Amino acid sequence: MSNLVIAMPNYKCLSCGRINHDYSQESYCNLNCAWNHKIKLALEEHDKDKNETLNKICELEDRISELKDRISELKDRISELEDRINDYMTT
């Protein structure tokens, strides 16, 4: 009889990357690795949300600046029109 060796895949811990010979799928070494990975994923999601929020704030600040410039232009235009009306009324 020949020695038949069946190669089983080596799955790595999803948190620390350590090879787990005992598992039939990717998993965690222990509860600590599981919690660390969950916390890491939560922090990454939080950072993603935070960056999206900061980007939206920057976009809104840019839009506010544009609107302030437009308001200033309109105020100048109103002043010009008022001056023209006053000139027309006095002549």
Side-chain angles (χ1 to χ4, degrees), residues 53-65:
T53 301
L54 290 174
N55 288 339
K56 287 179 183 178
I57 289 171
C58 289
E59 290 173 8
L60 289 172
E61 287 175 341
D62 291 345
R63 183 68 178 136
I64 289 169
S65 179

Side-chain angles (χ1 to χ4, degrees), residues 5 10-11 23 27 38 41-42 46 66 71:
V5 177
N10 291 325
Y11 291 101
Y23 302 122
S27 185
K38 300 282 185 199
L41 292 175
H46 178 266
E66 291 170 5
I71 289 170

Side-chain angles (χ1 to χ4, degrees), residues 4-8:
L4 180 62
V5 177
I6 299 174
M8 297 297 290

Side-chain angles (χ1 to χ4, degrees), residues 4-75:
L4 180 62
V5 177
I6 299 174
M8 297 297 290
N10 291 325
Y11 291 101
K12 292 184 178 181
C13 174
L14 294 172
S15 180
C16 70
R18 188 176 0 191
I19 294 176
N20 293 321
H21 300 287
D22 300 332
Y23 302 122
S24 60
Q25 61 184 4
E26 287 186 319
S27 185
Y28 301 102
C29 293
N30 53 43
L31 188 57
N32 188 42
C33 277
W35 278 110
N36 286 341
H37 192 242
K38 300 282 185 199
I39 291 168
K40 178 184 170 198
L41 292 175
L43 288 173
E44 287 173 355
E45 186 65 29
H46 178 266
D47 286 345
K48 179 183 168 191
D49 292 343
K50 180 180 168 184
N51 287 337
E52 288 175 1
T53 301
L54 290 174
N55 288 339
K56 287 179 183 178
I57 289 171
C58 289
E59 290 173 8
L60 289 172
E61 287 175 341
D62 291 345
R63 183 68 178 136
I64 289 169
S65 179
E66 291 170 5
L67 290 171
K68 284 181 178 180
D69 291 344
R70 181 69 179 138
I71 289 170
S72 179
E73 291 171 7
L74 291 172
K75 284 180 178 179

